[in-house]
């Protein structure tokens, strides 16, 4: 009878090990990634491109999660924005970034750089070649940090599915630094996402002159935090956005009153417009064919 008892104990041990393993592993294994943005309730279970336009008190910062999991942060907000930005990144359990894009040397876009790189591991910094020295002069960019320079016109592959089409800056440079900002499209399948950093109408005119066939985009990040100095009607007509996002930390009422001209022009362009100070953080899920806009009051 001894061998029967021994086998009973072995069988019980095997069952216990199986149940233990299943109880800890099955949740992650059963978490199926969703390809259809309209079948996904949040960014965690979505397998495609995720772009999150953060609502910050002062500046701008946008997080991109590429298909496959690589991450890219576009700008780091102002120094005053850092506590909020760090909270948003921590909510997403981010401890490293594959790419950090610095679009210009202005405080609203890169003021939080030093705090960000002190807390988050950054693998690569992407900067526009023509203003690289002004950015390096303004920021403590470590010489050991891998720096990728991009030029316009040009294309940089971020993953097998997503590329960055660089449109500005392009010689000759403007006297106003914000108009020398990095302007680019993220291309994902049939969809285009245009990022205009801090440019205004002067730079828009140059884009219309040099790259009129490359401006069309389903989603537009409005330039210069929705300033009336930018988003001209000829530019919006050429971009023809379905969705426009204004990243501003200004009071929501003063934003709508003080930027009524831009909102009117966006309305005439039939763009569905979101203002982060009013609508909170905006997240877009894209599978390269369809996209979905999610709002969060943060």
């Amino acid at each position: 009878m001894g061998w029967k008892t021994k086998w009973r104990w072995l069988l019980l041990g095997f069952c216990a090990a199986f149940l233990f393993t299943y109880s800890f592993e099955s949740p992650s294994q059963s978490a199926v990634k969703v390809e259809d943005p309209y079948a996904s309730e949040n960014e965690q279970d979505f397998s495609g491109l995720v772009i999150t336009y953060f609502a910050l008190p002062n500046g701008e910062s946008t997080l991109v999660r590429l298909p496959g999991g690589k991450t890219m942060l576009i700008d780091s907000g102002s120094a005053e924005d850092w506590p909020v930005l760090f909270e948003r990144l921590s909510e997403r359990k981010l401890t490293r970034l594959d790419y950090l894009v610095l679009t210009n040397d202005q405080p609203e876009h890169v003021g939080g750089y030093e705090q960000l790189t002190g807390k988050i591991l950054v693998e690569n910094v992407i900067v526009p070649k023509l203003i690289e020295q002004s950015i390096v002069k303004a920021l403590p960019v470590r010489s050991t940090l891998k720096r990728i320079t991009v030029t316009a016109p040009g294309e940089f592959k971020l993953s097998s599915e997503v590329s960055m089409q660089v449109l500005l800056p392009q010689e000759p440079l403007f006297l106003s630094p914000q108009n020398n900002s990095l302007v680019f499209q993220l291309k994902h399948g049939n969809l285009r996402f245009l990022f205009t950093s801090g440019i205004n109408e002067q730079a828009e005119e140059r884009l219309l002159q040099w790259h009129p066939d490359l401006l069309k985009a389903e989603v537009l990040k409005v330039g210069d935090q929705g300033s009336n100095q930018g988003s001209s009607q000829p530019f919006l007509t050429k971009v023809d956005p379905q969705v426009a996002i204004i990243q501003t930390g200004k009071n929501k009422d003063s934003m709508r009153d003080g930027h009524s001209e831009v909102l009117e022009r966006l309305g005439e362009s039939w763009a569905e417009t979101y203002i982060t100070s009013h609508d909170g953080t905006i997240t877009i899920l894209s599978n390269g064919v369809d996209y979905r806009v999610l709002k969060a009051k943060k």
Side-chain angles (χ1 to χ4, degrees):
M1 297 295 291
W3 64 273
K4 292 184 178 179
T5 302
K6 180 179 180 181
W7 276 106
R8 285 196 189 100
W9 281 110
L10 286 173
L11 182 60
L12 286 171
F14 175 80
C15 292
F18 175 80
L19 290 172
F20 180 85
T21 302
Y22 180 81
S23 66
F24 278 88
E25 292 184 0
S26 61
S28 61
Q29 291 174 344
S30 62
V32 178
K33 291 290 185 178
V34 179
E35 295 181 359
D36 180 359
Y38 284 94
S40 175
E41 293 303 319
N42 56 64
E43 62 189 81
Q44 285 76 27
D45 62 9
F46 184 64
S47 64
L49 177 69
V50 179
I51 305 177
T52 303
Y53 303 81
F54 289 123
L56 299 178
N58 299 288
E60 296 186 10
S61 185
T62 300
L63 179 65
V64 178
R65 193 191 76 199
L66 301 167
K70 285 188 176 182
T71 53
M72 177 173 76
L73 190 69
I74 304 168
D75 289 331
S76 58
S78 70
E80 295 78 13
D81 292 327
W82 171 244
V84 176
L85 179 57
F86 183 59
E87 182 179 351
R88 300 293 169 261
L89 297 176
S90 298
E91 289 169 352
R92 291 159 176 81
K93 298 179 173 57
L94 275 178
T95 58
R96 64 179 292 279
L97 292 164
D98 294 282
Y99 302 103
L100 171 62
V101 180
L102 303 177
T103 63
N104 60 41
D105 61 357
Q106 299 302 292
E108 296 82 7
H109 294 264
V110 297
Y113 170 85
E114 189 169 6
Q115 294 158 304
L116 172 72
T117 54
K119 288 285 189 179
I120 305 291
L121 175 64
V122 176
E123 298 290 345
N124 304 280
V125 172
I126 298 176
V127 294
K129 186 174 183 179
L130 287 179
I131 61 169
E132 177 184 8
Q133 292 309 310
S134 65
I135 291 176
V136 171
K137 185 177 180 181
L139 301 172
V141 179
R142 302 189 308 274
S143 58
T144 56
L145 190 60
K146 185 177 179 182
R147 199 182 309 160
I148 299 172
T149 57
V150 292
T151 57
E155 191 168 15
F156 177 70
K157 293 288 289 184
L158 294 166
S159 73
S160 60
E161 299 181 47
V162 181
S163 64
M164 172 190 287
Q165 177 71 52
V166 182
L167 303 175
L168 281 183
Q170 189 170 338
E171 292 181 318
L173 292 175
F174 291 98
L175 293 177
S176 55
Q178 71 269 24
N179 276 323
N180 297 321
S181 298
L182 176 63
V183 176
F184 64 92
Q185 276 190 358
L186 286 185
K187 300 164 62 177
H188 181 217
N190 298 328
L191 301 179
R192 305 291 182 269
F193 304 83
L194 183 60
F195 291 84
T196 55
S197 187
I199 68 167
N200 58 39
E201 190 171 356
Q202 283 185 305
E204 291 173 359
E205 290 174 356
R206 190 166 291 177
L207 285 167
L208 289 168
Q209 176 187 350
W210 286 345
H211 309 298
D213 298 329
L214 298 176
L215 293 178
K216 183 171 175 57
E218 283 70 29
V219 180
L220 168 67
K221 198 294 294 180
V222 176
D224 199 21
Q225 296 192 332
S227 164
N228 280 331
Q229 302 304 311
S231 302
S232 65
Q233 197 60 62
F235 181 73
L236 292 177
T237 299
K238 185 60 69 172
V239 177
D240 191 23
Q242 298 172 6
V243 172
I245 297 170
I246 300 174
Q247 285 180 285
T248 178
K250 299 172 184 176
N251 177 272
K252 61 184 179 183
D253 295 324
S254 64
M255 170 65 213
R256 290 194 176 274
D257 295 339
H259 297 68
S260 57
E261 293 178 27
V262 170
L263 295 175
E264 286 178 12
R265 292 196 289 268
L266 287 167
E268 291 171 2
S269 300
W270 296 98
E272 185 177 1
T273 302
Y274 298 89
I275 305 171
T276 57
S277 62
H278 181 271
D279 298 303
T281 290
I282 303 297
T283 297
I284 295 184
L285 311 180
S286 162
N287 64 4
V289 178
D290 298 314
Y291 68 90
R292 182 182 182 185
V293 180
L294 303 175
K295 293 199 304 182
K297 287 294 183 180
K298 288 185 178 181

